[in-house]
PDB file of all heavy atoms in Angstrom:
ATOM      1  N   GLN A  10     -14.629  -4.846  -4.079  1.00 91.00           N
ATOM      2  CA  GLN A  10     -13.952  -4.334  -2.879  1.00 91.00           C
ATOM      3  C   GLN A  10     -12.767  -5.211  -2.579  1.00 91.00           C
ATOM      4  O   GLN A  10     -12.801  -6.415  -2.812  1.00 91.00           O
ATOM      5  CB  GLN A  10     -14.904  -4.330  -1.705  1.00 91.00           C
ATOM      6  CG  GLN A  10     -16.107  -3.451  -1.896  1.00 91.00           C
ATOM      7  CD  GLN A  10     -17.080  -3.581  -0.743  1.00 91.00           C
ATOM      8  OE1 GLN A  10     -16.941  -4.446   0.105  1.00 91.00           O
ATOM      9  NE2 GLN A  10     -18.074  -2.746  -0.723  1.00 91.00           N
ATOM     10  N   ASP A  11     -11.727  -4.613  -2.036  1.00 88.00           N
ATOM     11  CA  ASP A  11     -10.593  -5.410  -1.606  1.00 88.00           C
ATOM     12  C   ASP A  11     -10.024  -4.832  -0.332  1.00 88.00           C
ATOM     13  O   ASP A  11     -10.302  -3.708   0.058  1.00 88.00           O
ATOM     14  CB  ASP A  11      -9.539  -5.525  -2.699  1.00 88.00           C
ATOM     15  CG  ASP A  11      -8.980  -4.181  -3.145  1.00 88.00           C
ATOM     16  OD1 ASP A  11      -9.510  -3.135  -2.749  1.00 88.00           O
ATOM     17  OD2 ASP A  11      -7.997  -4.176  -3.882  1.00 88.00           O
ATOM     18  N   SER A  12      -9.258  -5.631   0.327  1.00 88.00           N
ATOM     19  CA  SER A  12      -8.721  -5.298   1.641  1.00 88.00           C
ATOM     20  C   SER A  12      -7.282  -4.776   1.516  1.00 88.00           C
ATOM     21  O   SER A  12      -6.605  -5.023   0.520  1.00 88.00           O
ATOM     22  CB  SER A  12      -8.733  -6.565   2.505  1.00 88.00           C
ATOM     23  OG  SER A  12      -8.078  -6.355   3.714  1.00 88.00           O
ATOM     24  N   ILE A  13      -6.851  -4.086   2.536  1.00 90.00           N
ATOM     25  CA  ILE A  13      -5.470  -3.644   2.580  1.00 90.00           C
ATOM     26  C   ILE A  13      -4.532  -4.779   2.965  1.00 90.00           C
ATOM     27  O   ILE A  13      -3.317  -4.651   2.865  1.00 90.00           O
ATOM     28  CB  ILE A  13      -5.269  -2.464   3.564  1.00 90.00           C
ATOM     29  CG1 ILE A  13      -5.603  -2.889   4.983  1.00 90.00           C
ATOM     30  CG2 ILE A  13      -6.051  -1.260   3.131  1.00 90.00           C
ATOM     31  CD1 ILE A  13      -5.170  -1.905   6.053  1.00 90.00           C
ATOM     32  N   PHE A  14      -5.096  -5.894   3.383  1.00 89.00           N
ATOM     33  CA  PHE A  14      -4.279  -7.019   3.830  1.00 89.00           C
ATOM     34  C   PHE A  14      -3.854  -7.874   2.653  1.00 89.00           C
ATOM     35  O   PHE A  14      -4.649  -8.212   1.787  1.00 89.00           O
ATOM     36  CB  PHE A  14      -5.021  -7.850   4.874  1.00 89.00           C
ATOM     37  CG  PHE A  14      -5.318  -7.074   6.118  1.00 89.00           C
ATOM     38  CD1 PHE A  14      -6.575  -6.550   6.334  1.00 89.00           C
ATOM     39  CD2 PHE A  14      -4.318  -6.805   7.036  1.00 89.00           C
ATOM     40  CE1 PHE A  14      -6.846  -5.810   7.472  1.00 89.00           C
ATOM     41  CE2 PHE A  14      -4.569  -6.056   8.160  1.00 89.00           C
ATOM     42  CZ  PHE A  14      -5.839  -5.567   8.380  1.00 89.00           C
ATOM     43  N   VAL A  15      -2.564  -8.219   2.618  1.00 86.00           N
ATOM     44  CA  VAL A  15      -1.998  -9.011   1.526  1.00 86.00           C
ATOM     45  C   VAL A  15      -1.328 -10.257   2.107  1.00 86.00           C
ATOM     46  O   VAL A  15      -1.142 -10.367   3.311  1.00 86.00           O
ATOM     47  CB  VAL A  15      -0.982  -8.182   0.716  1.00 86.00           C
ATOM     48  CG1 VAL A  15      -1.676  -7.054  -0.014  1.00 86.00           C
ATOM     49  CG2 VAL A  15       0.124  -7.641   1.575  1.00 86.00           C
ATOM     50  N   GLU A  16      -0.975 -11.159   1.221  1.00 88.00           N
ATOM     51  CA  GLU A  16      -0.346 -12.425   1.614  1.00 88.00           C
ATOM     52  C   GLU A  16      -1.170 -13.154   2.671  1.00 88.00           C
ATOM     53  O   GLU A  16      -0.760 -13.268   3.836  1.00 88.00           O
ATOM     54  CB  GLU A  16       1.087 -12.196   2.084  1.00 88.00           C
ATOM     55  CG  GLU A  16       1.989 -11.697   0.984  1.00 88.00           C
ATOM     56  CD  GLU A  16       3.443 -11.693   1.385  1.00 88.00           C
ATOM     57  OE1 GLU A  16       3.856 -12.467   2.257  1.00 88.00           O
ATOM     58  OE2 GLU A  16       4.189 -10.882   0.797  1.00 88.00           O
ATOM     59  N   PRO A  17      -2.324 -13.674   2.269  1.00 89.00           N
ATOM     60  CA  PRO A  17      -3.180 -14.362   3.247  1.00 89.00           C
ATOM     61  C   PRO A  17      -2.549 -15.659   3.762  1.00 89.00           C
ATOM     62  O   PRO A  17      -1.843 -16.356   3.035  1.00 89.00           O
ATOM     63  CB  PRO A  17      -4.456 -14.655   2.476  1.00 89.00           C
ATOM     64  CG  PRO A  17      -4.016 -14.717   1.052  1.00 89.00           C
ATOM     65  CD  PRO A  17      -2.899 -13.722   0.932  1.00 89.00           C
ATOM     66  N   THR A  18      -2.819 -15.942   5.002  1.00 92.00           N
ATOM     67  CA  THR A  18      -2.443 -17.213   5.604  1.00 92.00           C
ATOM     68  C   THR A  18      -3.721 -18.019   5.764  1.00 92.00           C
ATOM     69  O   THR A  18      -4.712 -17.501   6.288  1.00 92.00           O
ATOM     70  CB  THR A  18      -1.788 -16.994   6.987  1.00 92.00           C
ATOM     71  OG1 THR A  18      -0.579 -16.278   6.788  1.00 92.00           O
ATOM     72  CG2 THR A  18      -1.493 -18.303   7.687  1.00 92.00           C
ATOM     73  N   VAL A  19      -3.724 -19.242   5.283  1.00 94.00           N
ATOM     74  CA  VAL A  19      -4.902 -20.109   5.380  1.00 94.00           C
ATOM     75  C   VAL A  19      -4.522 -21.331   6.189  1.00 94.00           C
ATOM     76  O   VAL A  19      -3.542 -22.005   5.874  1.00 94.00           O
ATOM     77  CB  VAL A  19      -5.412 -20.513   3.970  1.00 94.00           C
ATOM     78  CG1 VAL A  19      -6.628 -21.402   4.086  1.00 94.00           C
ATOM     79  CG2 VAL A  19      -5.697 -19.294   3.121  1.00 94.00           C
ATOM     80  N   GLN A  20      -5.302 -21.596   7.213  1.00 96.00           N
ATOM     81  CA  GLN A  20      -5.028 -22.737   8.092  1.00 96.00           C
ATOM     82  C   GLN A  20      -6.305 -23.556   8.245  1.00 96.00           C
ATOM     83  O   GLN A  20      -7.359 -23.018   8.594  1.00 96.00           O
ATOM     84  CB  GLN A  20      -4.552 -22.231   9.464  1.00 96.00           C
ATOM     85  CG  GLN A  20      -4.113 -23.318  10.402  1.00 96.00           C
ATOM     86  CD  GLN A  20      -2.851 -24.019   9.929  1.00 96.00           C
ATOM     87  OE1 GLN A  20      -1.910 -23.376   9.477  1.00 96.00           O
ATOM     88  NE2 GLN A  20      -2.843 -25.340  10.013  1.00 96.00           N
ATOM     89  N   ARG A  21      -6.228 -24.844   7.969  1.00 97.00           N
ATOM     90  CA  ARG A  21      -7.375 -25.749   8.142  1.00 97.00           C
ATOM     91  C   ARG A  21      -7.621 -25.930   9.636  1.00 97.00           C
ATOM     92  O   ARG A  21      -6.671 -26.169  10.405  1.00 97.00           O
ATOM     93  CB  ARG A  21      -7.089 -27.090   7.460  1.00 97.00           C
ATOM     94  CG  ARG A  21      -8.273 -27.987   7.341  1.00 97.00           C
ATOM     95  CD  ARG A  21      -9.181 -27.435   6.276  1.00 97.00           C
ATOM     96  NE  ARG A  21     -10.269 -28.364   6.003  1.00 97.00           N
ATOM     97  CZ  ARG A  21     -11.292 -28.037   5.265  1.00 97.00           C
ATOM     98  NH1 ARG A  21     -11.370 -26.846   4.729  1.00 97.00           N
ATOM     99  NH2 ARG A  21     -12.249 -28.905   5.037  1.00 97.00           N
ATOM    100  N   LEU A  22      -8.870 -25.819  10.062  1.00 97.00           N
ATOM    101  CA  LEU A  22      -9.204 -25.995  11.478  1.00 97.00           C
ATOM    102  C   LEU A  22      -9.197 -27.463  11.848  1.00 97.00           C
ATOM    103  O   LEU A  22      -9.414 -28.334  10.986  1.00 97.00           O
ATOM    104  CB  LEU A  22     -10.566 -25.371  11.772  1.00 97.00           C
ATOM    105  CG  LEU A  22     -10.633 -23.851  11.581  1.00 97.00           C
ATOM    106  CD1 LEU A  22     -12.045 -23.348  11.841  1.00 97.00           C
ATOM    107  CD2 LEU A  22      -9.661 -23.153  12.511  1.00 97.00           C
ATOM    108  N   PRO A  23      -8.961 -27.793  13.115  1.00 97.00           N
ATOM    109  CA  PRO A  23      -8.884 -29.203  13.537  1.00 97.00           C
ATOM    110  C   PRO A  23     -10.147 -30.011  13.210  1.00 97.00           C
ATOM    111  O   PRO A  23     -10.068 -31.218  12.973  1.00 97.00           O
ATOM    112  CB  PRO A  23      -8.674 -29.114  15.054  1.00 97.00           C
ATOM    113  CG  PRO A  23      -8.029 -27.795  15.269  1.00 97.00           C
ATOM    114  CD  PRO A  23      -8.627 -26.898  14.223  1.00 97.00           C
ATOM    115  N   SER A  24     -11.304 -29.366  13.178  1.00 96.00           N
ATOM    116  CA  SER A  24     -12.542 -30.074  12.852  1.00 96.00           C
ATOM    117  C   SER A  24     -12.569 -30.551  11.405  1.00 96.00           C
ATOM    118  O   SER A  24     -13.349 -31.418  11.041  1.00 96.00           O
ATOM    119  CB  SER A  24     -13.750 -29.171  13.081  1.00 96.00           C
ATOM    120  OG  SER A  24     -13.726 -28.095  12.143  1.00 96.00           O
ATOM    121  N   ASN A  25     -11.717 -29.946  10.583  1.00 96.00           N
ATOM    122  CA  ASN A  25     -11.629 -30.231   9.159  1.00 96.00           C
ATOM    123  C   ASN A  25     -12.871 -29.771   8.391  1.00 96.00           C
ATOM    124  O   ASN A  25     -13.113 -30.183   7.267  1.00 96.00           O
ATOM    125  CB  ASN A  25     -11.354 -31.709   8.885  1.00 96.00           C
ATOM    126  CG  ASN A  25     -10.509 -31.901   7.657  1.00 96.00           C
ATOM    127  OD1 ASN A  25      -9.703 -31.044   7.313  1.00 96.00           O
ATOM    128  ND2 ASN A  25     -10.688 -33.022   6.984  1.00 96.00           N
TER     129      ASN A  25
END
Side-chain angles (χ1 to χ4, degrees):
Q10 298 175 350
D11 60 351
S12 173
I13 63 168
F14 297 101
V15 294
E16 295 189 26
T18 296
V19 180
Q20 185 67 43
R21 192 73 173 170
L22 296 177
S24 67
N25 213 29

